[in-house]
């Protein structure tokens, strides 16, 4: 049994294949065998009892009965079946004592019982957690004896593990390997038992586990089988992993085991079948045969479908697949797409992005087929639950170019290093890395030991060029030839404000292109210009309103940008940035994707370049640099990714990307740099100054290691790999620093020595598994050591603002004069003077301190349910200086939520005697997400509403679902709108 009717029983990944493999092997080699195979829902307690006891009762004196069980055992000595229920264990499980009686009463000459389960263990071992038993407890009494052989996966006080990569339990895999040893001419029990026990014990050791199978009983004269070979039954159940050759026509996929409903979806979505890139991935690189691959290709080249095909194939093969993505928005989009496309085919889709709606429970219990994670959530959950990694058949890391990102690169690299290190203990899922265009790999593929599939070809050709203020467009055509044409008449380009701006070019260009029926995507580098661009285009283009989108927008707890969005949509345009409410963002995305959605031009900040499906005819890049704190120009790779949003398969025959320039000279410079430029080489984000952070993060991934082996952990990262290739002495140079770091960690109580092995303490593991740098972790530990727990969970949120990571979460303050000094008073009023003074710790200057106070106060008001527009007003010094918008509020709340997870783990290690405060901190994660007072949090149980709708119900006195049920439908429509009210009451909206 892999699966159980009771949702509280965790799924296994290899139990059914254990039974199937042993059944097939014995059936292929024993021609007179009478056999029966029970899997999952057919393996109920009653059907299994009948099958086993009837066979034992019918056996004659010369017969041999073979019984194999793979699944969960319970800690009180019972076998667990598919219909076992946790609330009635005694009535829905089979006690081993009953099995022992049946063995004793059978007339069979030999009964061979193989139990690949355990009766004492821990998740993800094959045990169902029940009340504990004394260590002297043994479930095996009476099972073995003369003519009764028991081969059990482990002793009563050990755990039975699944062996990653094999698809089987450790015991069953060892049995299969031992029975099919080509050097043996026959199989003899008990002689073969020693080989099986040794093989399983060593396999467990390679996983870092202790598991010693037990062979009990004896047979007068022995038990001999003929030589075992993998025959037709075995090969039918487990076909050789030859590369599956496909023609490209989806009609043939059903015969390869793909679900019919999925195949029909693909035939409709991709009527032309697979493109050349996808065919190469399947036929030349074997992604449909479990082979790993690194794919580097432009946006719109079809990379995503490679991952989808591999994931469905993995699920059809009984494995689980995960997709790792950089942003929550991408996780949510992919989750919705897959749920819609594959849910009807019976595939169970889950997501883990850090939101309250996450399916963490189903994922940890294995009750899913395909799951989507942000990078950070996957790393955190994999460190906390080894089961997650051991059950995977496929990992798809999307947007692999993020390994070069200065902020997210460390997480991507640590995930890949963890997967590489897992290969040493048998964890070896198929790995697909999908990346946008990048430069030289610098050994990236060699470090991963992955074959490379690389192409610059796009299914939809792309014209790239630069347009100057004279209307001259220098570009490279689809034939690769550089040309120059007069795209706009110079008279159309005029100054439309008090000085020259990009608006002078964008307006006539948009009029020309939209007039031809094109959809535009205009990239701006910050939120304000994106909104302004959409607004002036709405006025200039004279388009009809996007009525369908307007009708779906929320109407409560709006922001200043909400009103601006409505003005834009009235003129057929929109913008997309973090100032939009989630429901507004989703409405804009759907409206823009829809051919008839009414949005003809979309102005967006650059985060939209990373994967969200926005099919545009032409992309316009109004700037070529970030205006963030670094102020750096876009890289060539970033430009190529934005340009790649133009021209989507099934939408446009040719896409166009246009960079705006002021002068002919600047046009030529930008053309050389970006259009003709080569994307930057792949570089690790590892920097020597961050050695301590990398070391503690890596130590959190291992159980114990000698100090002199720690540099080898660093070499296993891409940064260490490239550094050691460049400098042969790199390891010896690092070793001295590592020794000093370990000593410091020992002194601080983050690590401890056990013999010659260094182990992280619980506090050290909490720091290593966190999102924080080593120095920030120490700063938080220092702050918490002096923390008065009576100050409560809110005070912890304020303390988090002292961390470097939060200081880099920009919030605007007006730096002329001392007007923003009022923020200290705001913080003192909300959190108390002591907390306010803590915000001064490690501050670079007064402005840094005021920023912390401002962030903390915004959080307080957000949690109190203050309306967004009021928060914007309170904390904006002027509309133009020190301004705070909804995007700023969300950036602060999201960053605080993200780092609060780390603080929660560190707090738990430091204050285990404060369970109530730990519970409050956990609740704070949900409150930060929804922006609700504690008393309103229970309203989430009524369904998915906007913050404004929850707050409206809260202010009406509702505190629970029962309170909401008591409201009349008519009144509910008044409060939260007809659509939401009808959905909540399960009424048709036209009623």
């Amino acid at each position: 049994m892999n699966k159980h009717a009771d949702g509280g029983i965790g799924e296994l990944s290899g139990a059914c294949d254990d039974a199937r493999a042993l059944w097939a092997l014995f059936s292929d080699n024993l021609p007179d065998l009478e056999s029966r195979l029970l899997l999952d829902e057919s393996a109920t307690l009653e059907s299994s009892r009948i099958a086993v006891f009837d066979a034992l009762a019918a056996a004659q004196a010369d017969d041999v009965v073979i019984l194999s069980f793979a699944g969960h055992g319970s800690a009180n000595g019972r076998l667990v079946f598919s219909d076992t229920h946790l609330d009635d264990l005694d009535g829905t499980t089979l006690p081993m004592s009953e099995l022992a009686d049946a063995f004793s009463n059978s007339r069979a000459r030999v009964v061979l019982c193989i139990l690949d389960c355990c009766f004492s263990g821990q998740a993800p071992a094959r045990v169902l957690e029940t009340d504990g038993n004394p260590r002297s407890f043994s479930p095996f009494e009476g099972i073995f004896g003369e003519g009764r052989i028991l081969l059990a996966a482990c002793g009563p006080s050990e755990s039975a593990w699944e062996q990653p990569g094999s698809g089987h339990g450790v015991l069953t895999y060892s049995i299969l390997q031992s029975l099919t040893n080509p050097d043996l001419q026959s199989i003899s029990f008990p002689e073969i038992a020693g080989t099986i026990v040794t093989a399983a014990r060593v396999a467990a050791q390679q996983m870092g586990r202790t598991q010693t199978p037990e062979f009990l009983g004896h047979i007068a004269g022995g038990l001999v089988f003929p030589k075992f070979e993998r025959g037709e039954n075995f090969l039918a159940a487990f076909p050789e992993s030859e590369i599956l050759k496909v023609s490209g026509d989806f009609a043939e996929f059903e015969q390869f085991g793909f679900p019919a409903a999925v195949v029909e979806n693909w035939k409709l979505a991709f009527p032309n079948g697979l493109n050349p890139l996808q065919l190469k991935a399947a036929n030349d690189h074997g992604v449909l045969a479990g082979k790993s691959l690194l794919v580097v290709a432009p946006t719109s080249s079809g990379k995503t479908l490679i991952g989808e095909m591999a994931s469905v194939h993995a699920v059809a093969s009984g494995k689980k697949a995960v997709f790792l993505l950089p942003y929550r928005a991408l996780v949510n989009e992919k989750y919705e797409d897959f749920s819609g496309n594959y849910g009807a085919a019976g595939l169970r889709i889950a997501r883990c992005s850090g939101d309250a709606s996450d399916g963490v429970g189903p994922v940890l219990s294995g009750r899913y087929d395909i799951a989507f994670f942000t990078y950070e959530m996957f790393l955190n959950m994999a460190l906390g639950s080894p089961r997650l990694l051991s059950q995977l058949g496929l990992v798809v890391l999307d947007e692999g170019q993020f390994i070069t990102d200065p902020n997210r690169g460390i997480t991507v690299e640590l995930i890949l290093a963890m997967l590489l290190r897992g290969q040493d203990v048998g964890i070896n899922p198929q790995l697909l890395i999908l990346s946008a265009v990048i430069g030289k790999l610098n050994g990236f593929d060699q470090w991963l030991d992955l074959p490379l599939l690389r192409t610059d070809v796009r299914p939809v050709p792309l014209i790239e060029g630069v347009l100057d203020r004279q209307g001259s467009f220098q570009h490279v055509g689809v034939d690769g030839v550089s040309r120059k044409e007069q795209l706009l008449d110079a008279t159309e380009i005029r100054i439309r404000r008090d000085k020259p701006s990009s608006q002078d070019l964008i307006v006539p260009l948009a009029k020309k292109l939209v007039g031809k029926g094109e959809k535009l995507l205009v990239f701006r580098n910050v939120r304000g210009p994106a909104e302004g661009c959409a607004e002036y285009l709405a006025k200039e283009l004279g388009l009809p309103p996007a009525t369908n989108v307007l009708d779906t927008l929320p109407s409560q707890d709006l922001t200043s940008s909400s009103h601006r969005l409505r003005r834009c949509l009235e003129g057929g345009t929109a913008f997309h940035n973090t100032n939009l409410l989630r429901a507004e963002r989703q409405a804009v995305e759907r409206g823009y994707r829809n051919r008839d959605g009414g949005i003809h031009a979309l102005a967006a900040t650059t985060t939209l370049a990373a994967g969200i499906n926005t099919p545009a005819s032409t992309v316009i890049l109004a700037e070529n640099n970030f205006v963030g704190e670094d102020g750096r120009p876009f890289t060539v790779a970033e430009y190529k990714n934005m340009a790649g949003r133009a021209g989507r398969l099934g939408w446009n025959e040719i896409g166009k990307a246009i960079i705006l320039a002021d002068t002919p000279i600047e046009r030529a410079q930008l053309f050389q740099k970006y259009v003709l430029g080569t994307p930057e080489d792949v570089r690790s984000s590892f920097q020597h100054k961050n050695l301590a952070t990398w070391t503690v993060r890596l130590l959190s991934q291992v159980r114990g290691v000698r100090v002199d082996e720690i540099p080898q952990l660093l070499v296993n990262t891409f940064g260490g790999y490239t550094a050691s290739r460049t400098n042969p002495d790199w390891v010896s140079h690092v070793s001295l620093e590592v020794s000093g770091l370990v000593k410091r960690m020992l002194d601080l109580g983050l690590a401890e020595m056990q013999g010659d092995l260094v182990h992280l303490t619980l506090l050290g593991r909490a720091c290593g598994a966190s999102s924080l740098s080593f120095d920030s972790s120490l700063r938080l530990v220092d702050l918490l050591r002096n923390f008065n727990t009576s100050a409560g969970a809110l005070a912890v949120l304020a303390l988090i603002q002292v961390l470097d990571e939060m200081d880099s979460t920009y919030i605007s303050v007006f730096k002329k004069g001392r007007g923003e000094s009022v923020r200290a008073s705001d913080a003192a009023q909300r959190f108390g003077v002591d907390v306010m003074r803590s915000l001064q710790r490690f501050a670079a200057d007064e402005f840094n301190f005021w920023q912390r106070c401002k962030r903390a106060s915004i959080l307080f008001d957000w949690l109190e349910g203050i309306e967004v527009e009021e928060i914007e007003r309170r904390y904006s010094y002027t509309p133009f200086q020190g301004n705070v918008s909804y995007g700023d509020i969300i950036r602060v709340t999201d960053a605080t939520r993200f780092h609060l997870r780390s603080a929660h783990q560190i707090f738990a290690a430091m204050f285990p005697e404060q369970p109530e405060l730990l519970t409050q901190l956990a609740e704070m994660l949900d409150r930060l997400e929804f922006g609700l007072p504690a008393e309103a949090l229970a309203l989430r149980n009524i369904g998915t509403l906007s913050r404004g709708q929850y707050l409206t119900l809260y202010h009406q006195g509702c505190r629970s679902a029962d309170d909401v049920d008591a409201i009349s439908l008519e009144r509910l429509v008044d409060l939260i709108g007809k659509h939401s009210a009808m959905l909540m009451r399960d009424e048709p909206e036209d009623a």
Side-chain angles (χ1 to χ4, degrees), residues 107-276:
R107 286 175 293 175
R109 181 175 75 88
V110 176
V111 177
L112 169 60
C113 180
I114 300 169
L115 294 180
D116 202 341
C117 64
C118 62
F119 301 97
S120 176
Q122 55 181 308
R126 289 184 171 184
V127 66
L128 185 66
E129 297 286 359
T130 60
D131 292 338
N133 289 278
R135 291 182 65 86
S136 60
F137 165 79
S138 174
F140 301 147
E141 297 298 330
I143 294 290
F144 60 91
E146 175 59 45
R148 304 295 181 259
I149 304 174
L150 173 67
L151 186 53
C154 59
S157 61
E158 291 182 346
S159 303
W161 299 92
E162 296 198 323
Q163 181 166 320
S166 72
H168 296 289
V170 167
L171 174 64
T172 302
Y173 184 72
S174 300
I175 292 173
L176 295 173
Q177 296 301 100
S178 300
L179 294 185
T180 57
N181 184 344
D183 295 334
L184 297 178
Q185 295 306 308
S186 63
I187 307 298
S188 177
F189 280 93
E191 286 82 355
I192 194 69
T195 303
I196 293 171
V197 169
T198 300
R201 178 175 53 78
V202 172
Q205 286 177 339
Q206 290 175 331
M207 296 164 55
R209 309 292 185 187
T210 299
Q211 179 180 338
T212 306
E214 294 200 358
F215 180 80
L216 303 169
H218 43 85
I219 313 165
L223 176 63
V224 180
F225 295 114
K227 180 180 181 180
F228 277 72
E229 293 181 344
R230 291 175 167 87
E232 59 183 30
N233 284 313
F234 195 95
L235 293 175
F238 304 96
E240 300 291 341
S241 60
E242 297 177 359
I243 290 181
L244 183 65
K245 298 289 185 179
V246 295
S247 68
D249 184 352
F250 282 115
E252 68 184 356
F253 273 54
E254 202 170 334
Q255 71 189 37
F256 297 134
F258 286 82
V262 172
V263 174
E264 284 304 311
N265 257 337
W266 285 341
K267 285 161 68 174
L268 289 172
F270 309 101
N272 297 323
L274 299 182
N275 67 24

Side-chain angles (χ1 to χ4, degrees), residues 21 54 119 170 308 312 351 374 380 394 440 464 477 520 555 558 577 634 659 762 828 911:
D54 282 0
F119 301 97
V170 167
E308 289 191 37
V312 175
R351 62 179 161 188
T374 56
N380 187 268
L394 168 69
K440 292 179 182 177
E464 298 179 64
L520 303 188
S555 58
L558 303 182
N577 61 27
F634 293 130
I659 304 173
L762 284 177
F911 299 97

Side-chain angles (χ1 to χ4, degrees), residues 309-489:
M309 291 191 301
S311 68
V312 175
H313 181 265
V315 173
S317 304
K319 301 171 184 176
K320 300 185 188 301
V322 298
F323 284 75
L324 314 183
L325 299 151
Y327 299 123
R328 281 191 300 158
L330 278 176
V331 168
N332 292 330
E333 181 186 279
K334 296 298 183 186
Y335 169 79
E336 290 173 4
D337 286 349
F338 272 58
S339 296
N341 293 335
Y342 304 131
L347 273 67
R348 298 168 301 173
I349 314 299
R351 62 179 161 188
C352 294
S353 66
D355 286 349
S357 57
D358 282 351
V360 172
V363 167
L364 290 180
S365 63
R367 303 180 76 83
Y368 73 98
D369 297 309
I370 300 174
F372 295 89
F373 296 78
T374 56
Y375 299 146
E376 290 78 9
M377 280 296 291
F378 179 77
L379 181 59
N380 187 268
M381 290 178 65
L383 290 176
S385 176
R387 178 194 182 105
L388 178 59
L389 282 183
S390 63
Q391 67 185 190
L392 292 182
L394 168 69
V395 176
V396 181
L397 193 144
D398 207 354
E399 306 292 345
Q401 72 275 7
F402 268 78
I403 193 169
T404 66
D405 186 84
N407 298 313
R408 316 294 293 287
I410 181 172
T411 304
V412 174
E413 195 163 333
L414 286 169
I415 288 171
L416 294 174
M418 179 174 63
L419 292 174
L420 290 178
R421 194 165 48 257
Q423 295 173 6
D424 297 334
V425 293
I427 297 176
N428 193 19
Q430 179 185 10
L431 175 61
L432 287 183
I433 300 180
L434 310 178
S435 173
V437 175
I438 46 180
K440 292 179 182 177
L441 294 177
N442 276 340
F444 182 50
D445 53 333
Q446 296 169 16
W447 171 59
L448 294 166
D449 192 23
L450 288 183
L452 171 66
L453 173 57
R454 184 167 198 157
T455 183
D456 294 323
V457 177
R458 289 168 41 102
V460 178
L462 180 65
I463 297 172
E464 298 179 64
V466 186
L467 176 69
D468 64 25
R469 289 184 66 85
Q470 278 69 52
S472 181
F473 183 48
Q474 187 175 0
H475 63 278
V476 174
V478 295
D479 55 4
V481 176
S482 296
R483 297 181 177 85
K484 193 161 59 175
E485 66 173 282
Q486 197 67 28
L487 186 61
L488 293 174
D489 191 297

Side-chain angles (χ1 to χ4, degrees), residues 297-314:
T299 305
S300 301
S301 59
K303 299 188 296 293
T304 300
L305 184 58
I306 296 173
E308 289 191 37
M309 291 191 301
S311 68
V312 175
H313 181 265

